[in-house]
Amino acid sequence: MCGGKGTRLESPHEKPLHPIDGTAMVDRVRAALEASRVETIAAAVSPNAPATRTHLEERDGIATIETAGEGYVTDLLAALERPELSPPLLTVAADLPLLEAAVVDRILAAHGDAEASRTVCVPAALKRRLGVSTEARLEPDDHLAPTGVNVVGTTDESTTMTDVHYDPRLAVNVNRREDARVAADMLRDRTAEVR
């Protein structure tokens, strides 16, 4: 999902192309998906992000699906109407630059053969502890924040399971400049730990 305007980020780049430690967020998410057990990758793009579409199609060879760019849920519903897509589908927001293949695989393993849909959340307290924005909540008074990772199930019923993860890699959605700084710092710290 990479068709948002990204106005809160105040970046000279389209939101998916905003670099985190030198690499566009959408490229970090794409790399995590490619290294995971996900079989096919397609990007939901919109008129809000024409450079992102070009970047994905021409540079990376990723198939794109045009949406109106009216928001995550609206764009997701439009993408699901495409006949070439059929559930179960993993959906991932392009603003998760810390996402890794192991995290994706763990979510897919937890989903298994379930027919229901799955919303992946983190505690809002984890987001606050990390110093990142917490605008989105499942309910206004809820203590859970959606991560932008979901599995759309095969059932026609409105059954949705909620998974709670305490993984910082899922908690950092880059919506503001401070979120981008936190993500870059966490990536540098992780790189330093590996050395």
Side-chain angles (χ1 to χ4, degrees), residues 31-188:
L33 294 173
E34 287 177 345
S36 75
R37 65 184 189 113
V38 168
E39 295 173 14
T40 305
I41 300 172
V45 297
S46 79
N48 296 325
T52 299
R53 174 189 292 106
T54 301
H55 176 83
L56 291 169
E57 289 176 346
E58 294 178 5
R59 179 176 163 235
D60 296 333
I62 300 289
T64 58
I65 298 165
E66 181 70 29
T67 66
E70 296 175 357
Y72 187 90
V73 173
T74 303
D75 289 355
L76 174 60
L77 292 173
L80 291 173
E81 291 177 3
R82 300 292 294 258
E84 67 269 22
L85 298 179
S86 61
L89 294 172
L90 176 75
T91 64
V92 181
D95 65 1
L96 285 168
L98 303 179
L99 189 67
E100 293 180 352
V103 176
V104 173
D105 288 343
R106 189 173 67 236
I107 290 166
L108 293 173
H111 185 71
D113 295 331
E115 293 182 5
S117 294
R118 183 172 302 271
T119 299
V120 178
C121 296
V122 295
L126 174 60
K127 292 177 80 71
R128 286 192 297 275
R129 184 173 58 78
L130 294 171
V132 295
S133 57
T134 58
E135 289 112 1
R137 300 264 177 88
L138 289 182
E139 298 292 333
D141 60 346
D142 203 342
H143 300 289
L144 296 178
T147 63
V149 177
N150 300 286
V151 179
V152 178
T154 58
T155 183
D156 288 336
E157 298 175 25
S158 60
T159 305
T160 301
M161 303 174 76
T162 301
D163 288 353
V164 180
H165 291 257
Y166 296 84
D167 191 329
R169 295 170 292 188
L170 289 167
V172 181
N173 298 86
V174 175
N175 291 306
R176 302 185 182 280
R177 298 290 264 184
E178 181 62 17
D179 301 338
R181 186 197 59 74
V182 168
D185 289 349
M186 290 176 73
L187 282 168
R188 284 187 212 108

Side-chain angles (χ1 to χ4, degrees), residues 2-19:
C2 51
K5 292 179 184 177
T7 53
R8 294 174 292 174
L9 185 55
E10 300 175 357
S11 174
H13 308 278
E14 292 175 1
K15 183 178 180 181
L17 296 178
H18 183 82

